[in-house]
Amino acid sequence: MGIIAQLSDVVIDQIAAGEIIERPSSVIKELLENSVDSGANTISLHIADGGTTRIEVCDNGAGIESEDLPLSVARHTTSKIKSITDLNKCLTHGFRGEALAAIASVSNLVIISRKSNDSKGSRLEKIDNQWVCCPSPASSGTNVIIEKLFFKIPARKRFLKSKATEFTHCKNTFLQTALVHSHINWKFNSNGKEILNLPAENILDRFANICRVPSNTLKEVKKSIGPIKIHACFPFSSNEKKLSNKQFVYVNGRVIKNRTIAHAIKTAFEEINHGGQETNIFLSILIPNELVDFNVHPCKTEVRFKDNSAVYEVVYNTLKNTINRPAGENYTNEIINLDSHQKNISDVFATEKINPEIKSIIKQKDLDLENFSGLDEKKVTNLKSENLSSNQIPPLGFALAQLHGIYILAENSEGLIIVDIHAGHERILFEEYKKNIESKEIQIQKLISPIRLELDDDEIEIFDTNSILVSNLGFDVVKVSSNWLSIEGVPALTKNLNSKITFLEIIEDLSKFGRAETYESKLLKFLGNLACKSAIKANRIMTIPEMNSILRSMERTDYGGKCNHGRPSWAQLSITNIDKIFLRGK
Ligand code: ADP
Ligand code: MG
C-alpha cells in the first residue's frame, strides 16, 4: 500500500498561511496593502487585544464586485497580474493572490464591500464551513474583519507574544505603511481608543510627526543616480523620539528588509551615531522593476537586486554626502521647547564633569592658528550694535567667552552658540587625519615572516578582481600558486591587528559589499582614538582668537556638527528661547 497522498486544500492553505501569516501584524500588512492597492484615500485600522481577537480594516477604495467576492478568498486568485511578464510592470503591493486565502484559512474572515457605482453592497462570510455571499448594506469601499486568528492552529497561537508586544508589532506595521503612503488619510484605533490619526500630508511632515520633531529639524535628500532614485529623511539634532522601529526602508513603495541597504545606512551613519545608536530614518528607493526581484518570499519583504553594490553605493554615498556637512551648515541644532526637553538639554550638556576651578592647564598641542581668518576683534563684540547683516556673520558666530574651561560661548545672528571645545576640535583633527590618509601613500610595514594562506576558488576570484584595491589599502599580497597567497606587508597604521583575520575580512566584505567595510571602520576607529587623544581637553584656557579659529575650522570641516563619537559639538539657543526663559513680552 503506497504512503504518498495528496494534501487536502485546507491543509495546503494552512501550510501556505504559515509563510505569510506569522502574527496579527502580518495580517495587518496584507490588509492595509490591499486597501492601498484599491486606490483608497482614507484607510482605518481597528484592532482589539493586540490584533489577537479582532482586526478590522476599512477603506474607501474601488470595492469588490459581488461575483468577485468568493474568488478573492480562493487560492492564487488576483486581479493584479495575468501573466509572469506582468510582474515587470506591476505597481501594486499584491500580485500573488494568496493573502486573503491564507488569512481565511487561519481565522474567521468577513468581507463587506461595495463598488462606488453599485447601489448595493455584498457580504462574504463562512457559514457551516461554506462561503456565502449575500447582498448587504455597505459604504463605498471595502471592510475586512478578521476574528479569532489562529483558532484552528493552537500551535501557532502559542507562539504569539503578550498583547502589548503584538500591539507594538501592529503599530509598527501600520506606521510603515502609513509613512510611505502619506497622501492617504490613516487612522488607527486599538480597543476602541484612537492611537493615531494621520491626515494626508507630505512624507517629510509625516516622518517628522512620527519622530515627534518639527519638520525643519529633519534632513531631507532626494537624488537620481543612474536608473535609481533615492529619497531619505532623518533627524539631525538630538531631540527626536527614538522609535522602536527606527528604519523605514522601501523599495518601489514596498516595505522591505535588505541587508545591503541596512548595511549602507549603518556605515553612512557610523561616524555620527552616538553610542552606536541606530538612527531613525525614512529611506525609499525607486528602481526599474527589471533590476529587482520581489518574488523571493510570499511576504514580499525580501528583494533581490540585480546589482547589489550599485544599490549600496547609491544609498551610502547619498546619505554620507548629506551627513558630512560642516558645522552650522544647512541644519538646525536649536535647543528647542525648553519645558519638555529638559532631559535632552542635560543630555547634550552633561557630558563632561565641570570643574569650577580651573586648576591645571593641561599641556596641549598648539592650536593651528594658520587658518584663523584674522577677524576684526571689534566685530566680535556686540554684533547687534554694529548692525552686521546675517550673511556677514558666520554660522557659528564670534566667540564671546569660554565657560568652565569646556565650552565656547559665541554670538551669531540667531542668538547664543555653545560649542563643546573638545568635541569640535576632535572632529577637526579626525577629518584632517582621514584626508592625510587619502592623499598620502599608505605606509606599508614589511612582515619579517610573511603569512601564507590558502583561499578557496571563489575567494581567490574576489582577490584577483580586487587586487589593486587590496594593495591600495596597504596590503602587500603575492600570489604564490593558484590558491595560495602570501601576505608580505600590512598597513603600518593598523599593524597591530591580526593580519590574517583582517585580510580574510576584507575578502569577505569585498564579496558582499564590493568594499572593505570592516577594515575601513577599524581604521576609522583607530584614527578617531588618535584624534580624541590629541584634541583639546577641558580646562585649557583659550584666547578669543583661538576660539574663533576653532569655530571657523568647524564650519569648514566635514561632519563638523558632531564629534567622532556622534555627540553634538554645538548647539544654538536662540534669542526667542532666551526671551522665553525670562518671560519677556509676557
Ligand atoms: P493580491 O493582493 O495578491 O491580489 P489578495 O489575496 O490579497 O491577493 O487579494 C485578492 C484580490 O481581492 C485582490 O487581487 C483584489 O482584487 C481583491 N481585494 C482584496 N482586498 C481588497 C480591497 N480592500 N479593495 C478592493 N479589492 C480588494
Ligand atoms: Mg494582497
Side-chain angles (χ1 to χ4, degrees):
M1 188 53 179
I3 53 169
I4 301 178
Q6 175 72 45
L7 292 174
S8 74
D9 282 353
V10 173
V11 177
I12 292 173
D13 282 346
Q14 289 179 343
I15 290 173
E19 287 185 290
I20 311 177
I21 311 300
E22 191 193 342
R23 52 180 5 127
S25 64
S26 354
V27 174
I28 289 170
K29 171 182 182 290
E30 295 298 334
L31 298 184
L32 296 184
E33 289 184 350
N34 276 347
S35 292
V36 171
D37 285 349
S38 78
N41 61 22
T42 298
I43 301 174
S44 57
L45 165 69
H46 300 255
I47 63 169
D49 305 317
T52 55
T53 54
R54 188 179 160 91
I55 295 168
E56 182 174 350
V57 172
C58 279
D59 69 52
N60 64 350
I64 309 173
E65 271 178 45
S66 60
E67 66 181 274
D68 273 344
L69 262 180
L71 275 176
S72 70
V73 293
R75 218 168 347 125
H76 309 308
T77 50
T78 179
S79 56
K80 298 170 192 172
I81 60 165
K82 292 213 155 46
S83 71
I84 196 73
T85 48
D86 291 345
L87 260 188
N88 275 346
K89 300 175 258 158
C90 180
L91 297 174
T92 51
H93 287 286
F95 58 82
R96 296 173 61 111
E98 32 184 33
L100 289 183
I103 297 168
S105 75
V106 293
S107 69
N108 275 357
L109 175 145
V110 177
I111 306 179
I112 301 156
S113 191
R114 176 165 75 82
K115 291 194 72 85
S116 59
N117 290 336
D118 293 350
S119 54
K120 267 218 188 91
S122 319
R123 177 185 176 100
L124 178 81
E125 65 187 311
K126 239 182 191 170
I127 298 174
D128 294 334
N129 241 357
Q130 291 296 317
W131 286 111
V132 177
C133 186
C134 54
S136 160
S139 37
S140 172
T142 303
N143 186 4
V144 182
I145 302 149
I146 310 294
E147 284 179 333
K148 295 192 182 167
L149 184 64
F150 297 141
F151 77 104
K152 293 171 194 162
I153 318 179
R156 247 299 137 72
K157 208 166 175 195
R158 280 198 292 275
F159 275 95
L160 293 181
K161 298 278 186 294
S162 70
K163 286 175 191 166
T165 306
E166 294 304 334
F167 168 80
T168 306
H169 284 293
C170 295
K171 188 173 160 200
N172 285 343
T173 300
F174 178 85
L175 284 177
Q176 275 173 335
T177 320
L179 174 56
V180 73
H181 299 290
S182 66
H183 59 284
I184 295 176
N185 303 293
W186 293 89
K187 288 193 181 111
F188 176 29
N189 283 42
S190 168
N191 294 332
K193 202 173 126 213
E194 182 176 281
I195 305 294
L196 288 158
N197 185 351
L198 304 169
E201 58 198 334
N202 67 38
I203 285 185
L204 182 73
D205 288 336
R206 180 150 295 175
F207 193 48
N209 228 334
I210 292 174
C211 297
R212 311 229 186 116
V213 288
S215 53
N216 66 359
T217 64
L218 294 184
K219 205 76 170 124
E220 184 177 35
V221 53
K222 287 182 184 171
K223 273 227 153 79
S224 277
I225 301 168
I228 304 175
K229 286 195 175 75
I230 174 168
H231 179 194
C233 315
F234 51 88
F236 214 88
S237 61
S238 321
N239 297 315
E240 83 279 5
K241 176 183 177 339
K242 288 280 180 240
L243 303 168
S244 63
N245 176 27
K246 296 186 175 60
Q247 311 216 324
F248 295 78
V249 178
Y250 307 86
V251 175
N252 294 359
R254 290 173 194 283
V255 178
I256 56 117
K257 289 193 192 104
N258 179 268
R259 277 189 54 194
T260 303
I261 297 179
H263 225 90
I265 296 174
K266 185 167 166 263
T267 320
F269 277 90
E270 203 153 47
E271 294 213 25
I272 60 158
N273 275 351
H274 185 43
Q277 270 228 7
E278 275 194 341
T279 183
N280 294 346
I281 186 167
F282 161 83
L283 189 139
S284 157
I285 290 176
L286 297 180
I287 182 166
N289 270 356
E290 58 272 18
L291 300 181
V292 59
D293 184 5
F294 289 101
N295 195 16
V296 179
H297 185 273
C299 286
K300 296 166 273 153
T301 50
E302 283 171 37
V303 284
R304 252 194 306 254
F305 295 111
K306 208 165 168 200
D307 186 349
N308 253 336
S309 37
V311 172
Y312 182 98
E313 286 301 316
V314 167
V315 174
Y316 174 76
N317 286 326
T318 307
L319 293 178
K320 189 180 152 152
N321 294 335
T322 316
I323 298 164
N324 69 7
R325 310 310 304 155
E329 191 189 301
N330 221 1
Y331 67 91
T332 54
N333 209 7
E334 171 72 29
I335 301 167
I336 46 170
N337 199 349
L338 285 165
D339 306 328
S340 60
H341 284 75
Q342 285 302 345
K343 186 169 171 293
N344 284 334
I345 293 172
S346 55
D347 279 354
V348 172
F349 295 111
T351 44
E352 271 182 72
K353 270 226 168 88
I354 293 169
N355 176 1
E357 291 158 16
I358 303 177
K359 290 186 224 143
S360 59
I361 299 168
I362 302 163
K363 227 180 162 1
Q364 299 286 337
K365 201 178 103 176
D366 274 342
L367 267 177
D368 164 27
L369 288 178
E370 214 175 285
N371 294 323
F372 173 51
S373 50
L375 290 162
D376 181 353
E377 284 281 321
K378 269 192 221 138
K379 275 190 190 171
V380 171
T381 49
N382 212 346
L383 295 173
K384 285 267 158 57
S385 67
E386 294 219 350
N387 232 354
L388 287 173
S389 71
S390 62
N391 57 11
Q392 284 175 276
I393 303 169
L396 298 186
F398 299 123
L400 301 170
Q402 193 179 2
L403 180 68
H404 282 262
I406 295 172
Y407 301 106
I408 295 171
L409 302 183
E411 184 181 15
N412 71 354
S413 55
E414 299 290 313
L416 180 70
I417 290 276
I418 306 165
V419 165
D420 180 324
I421 302 167
H422 177 79
H425 191 220
E426 182 184 76
R427 173 61 76 176
I428 294 166
L429 292 178
F430 186 34
E431 295 304 315
E432 263 173 33
Y433 295 163
K434 283 200 278 184
K435 283 214 177 86
N436 284 347
I437 286 226
E438 276 163 27
S439 58
K440 288 194 189 119
E441 283 236 324
I442 293 191
Q443 257 201 328
I444 297 177
Q445 169 93 42
K446 283 275 170 199
L447 296 180
I448 301 165
S449 33
I451 301 164
R452 292 275 170 131
L453 76 167
E454 187 183 19
L455 301 188
D456 59 29
D457 287 352
D458 23 329
E459 288 171 331
I460 280 289
E461 198 186 321
I462 292 156
F463 171 74
D464 285 343
T465 39
N466 292 284
S467 58
I468 294 174
L469 200 151
V470 171
S471 110
N472 286 346
L473 288 174
F475 286 83
D476 180 7
V477 183
V478 182
K479 215 166 161 185
V480 282
S481 71
S482 59
N483 284 62
W484 280 90
L485 299 179
S486 167
I487 305 177
E488 316 261 314
V490 294
L493 261 179
T494 51
K495 62 174 189 267
N496 291 335
L497 297 174
N498 179 322
S499 306
K500 186 175 165 183
I501 292 180
T502 307
F503 178 77
L504 289 173
E505 268 170 5
I506 290 176
I507 295 292
E508 193 185 333
D509 280 3
L510 285 172
S511 80
K512 278 197 280 193
F513 314 116
R515 45 177 292 210
E517 247 195 40
T518 315
Y519 175 70
E520 280 169 23
S521 84
K522 279 182 184 164
L523 185 64
L524 285 185
K525 210 167 170 189
F526 177 82
L527 296 180
N529 286 339
L530 210 63
C532 184
K533 279 196 198 118
S534 321
I536 301 169
K537 304 286 183 308
N539 298 340
R540 152 84 145 78
I541 291 178
M542 297 177 77
T543 63
I544 293 280
E546 280 178 325
M547 291 190 257
N548 278 319
S549 166
I550 290 271
L551 300 179
R552 299 298 77 81
S553 297
M554 285 172 68
E555 287 159 357
R556 281 195 304 264
T557 298
D558 289 355
Y559 301 101
K562 300 260 182 174
C563 82
N564 309 345
H565 308 97
R567 285 199 294 119
S569 57
W570 67 280
Q572 168 97 62
L573 186 54
S574 68
I575 282 289
T576 323
N577 276 331
I578 298 175
D579 287 348
K580 273 190 201 155
I581 297 174
F582 294 101
L583 305 178
R584 266 186 165 254
K586 293 225 165 150

